[in-house]
Amino acid sequence: MIVHKFGGTSLGSAERFERAADIVAAHHGRFADGAAPAETVVVVSAMSGVTSRLVAGARAAAEGRDDLCREIKTELLARHLEAAEVLLPAGAERVSLCGLIEDRLHELERLCRSIALLGELTARGLDAASSFGEPLAAAILAAALRGRGIRSRALSAAGLIVTDDRFGAASPFREPTRRRLEEKVRPLLEKGVLPVVTGYVAATEGGVVTTLGRGGSDFSAAVIGAALGAAEVWIWSDVDGILTADPNIVPGARTLSELSYAEASALAHYGADVLHPKTIRPLAESRIPLRIVNSFNPSHPGTLIVEKPDRGRAHRPAIISTTGLNLVVVGAGGDSWTPGFAARALRSLCEAGIEVLMFSQSYSEHNLNLVVRDRDGAHCLKTLGREFSGGGEPAGVRLDVKERVATVSVAGGSEWNGKGLVSHAFAALGGLGTRVIAVAQESGETGVSFCIPEAETAAAVRFLHRELGLEAER
Ligand code: ASP
Ligand code: MG
């Protein structure tokens, strides 16, 4: 059995759903190694951008911004209905799919109304709201597959993946999850039905909805693949695998054709946009190969991640860049600064479901630098404002989004081309004159991350790629 997971950009529009359905149809039922026909399980993310809108809607509800909630609901309704109407011919299947989309979004509206009544968004409420996207994408893709003559059924992983109740970053329990999948998914496979399962979403033993964290549908695919003993897991994204740099910045970037589990996991930790970092472990434990492939270029072999990569492969490090970030500065006047400020800031952000990608603190300036995603910037300020206002706080805690930043990381082995990778990267950025705002370095010198002004990202990535000789033939 092969698990195929499609990310949000691979399901961004009716046309993208068509391509995803083509890919599934091309692989489903094919004879793997001339043995048994390959069974398929599909795992989906929400359509691109949908989860972020759901989060924005839930936050708006808690702040009593009814207008914004309604606007988001209307926008999501239009987007999903359009996909359904373009994909399916007029008829019963289309009517039932559109009905389902309308019902679900009506339910979302009701949820937002109760959040508004409470005037508070708990981590549990945020998971409930942000989990609405995947079931819609699963229903649309399953319908598109049925339109191609494949017996297919959409399933919610809330009934399949059993987790603890750490909302926003729940951890699956292996045995109960395996049992549910055996009970509910195996019989479908035996009947020749192709399940399309929601990624990202799960539930506690008692059925309370949880999520595995932003970008977590890769992890869902791995959990499902490991539990069902898949032959392979394929993750369909929008680039040709894991590359030496973002190909939109460096056209000559090279695909890393094979990586070990350990190497891929290290790279994923620097930029979860390529692969969610938790994805590797369940697969490594069961020695299930993972492929990162491109739904926009499906004939490219992509990156294969296995226990023991081919000895003859061209091994090289990679540059991972993440843009769309905000530098938030928490400052305290006079002598009031203590490390306790940092602890409080980080805890309150964690509880609000805001991921801090990097942080640094300066004793001489009495401040804390926090790097958060653009989409969380405003909410981050509000959360910190609440944390540091009242409670008899020493006066003069300053909060500010200082500028737009990016992180650029170089990772993949301590030595490269006869030089230390980390020191080479430092020297290269120094040579370019890049303004480095913060640094985080791995103790083994196998990787380093720099926080730099966003406007300097492309120049820094291109320069590093050339300086480190990552384009060269090997
Ligand atoms: N839809 C979720 C998100 O945007 C999960 C995922 O895409 O993997 O974070
Ligand atoms: Mg992703």
Side-chain angles (χ1 to χ4, degrees), residues 6-147:
F6 291 89
T9 43
S10 299
L11 305 171
S13 63
E15 208 261 320
R16 296 313 311 164
F17 273 107
E18 293 270 17
R19 297 289 79 79
D22 289 344
I23 288 169
V24 175
H27 286 88
H28 180 57
R30 280 278 177 84
F31 286 78
D33 303 332
E39 290 169 334
T40 311
V41 173
V42 171
V43 174
V44 293
S45 292
M47 291 177 78
S48 54
V50 166
T51 309
S52 295
R53 294 302 277 160
L54 291 165
V55 170
R59 286 177 181 163
E63 287 161 13
R65 296 215 39 205
D66 226 29
D67 51 330
L68 185 53
C69 285
R70 240 171 304 137
E71 186 187 312
I72 290 173
K73 183 223 159 178
T74 310
E75 170 198 315
L76 293 179
L77 184 64
R79 200 158 157 222
H80 288 94
L81 285 180
E82 189 198 319
E85 279 160 10
V86 173
L87 275 168
L88 300 181
E93 176 88 81
R94 193 211 267 185
V95 170
S96 109
L97 179 61
C98 291
L100 179 138
I101 294 169
E102 279 164 11
D103 287 352
R104 292 291 292 158
L105 287 166
H106 190 65
E107 215 178 293
L108 172 72
E109 200 176 356
R110 284 217 317 266
L111 174 63
C112 284
R113 245 183 268 136
S114 19
I115 294 172
L117 261 178
L118 285 172
E120 187 196 358
L121 182 58
T122 59
R124 174 175 171 169
L126 183 59
D127 270 3
S130 64
S131 65
F132 271 76
E134 273 72 10
L136 299 178
I140 296 174
L141 186 58
L145 288 169
R146 287 193 294 272

Side-chain angles (χ1 to χ4, degrees), residues 5 45-46 51 134 200 214-218:
K5 180 256 159 176
S45 292
T51 309
E134 273 72 10
Y200 179 56
R214 295 303 306 272
S217 50
D218 298 340

Side-chain angles (χ1 to χ4, degrees), residues 210-236:
T210 58
T211 68
L212 306 183
R214 295 303 306 272
S217 50
D218 298 340
F219 185 28
S220 307
V223 167
I224 292 169
L228 289 171
E232 291 191 3
V233 173
W234 293 40
I235 291 189
W236 293 92

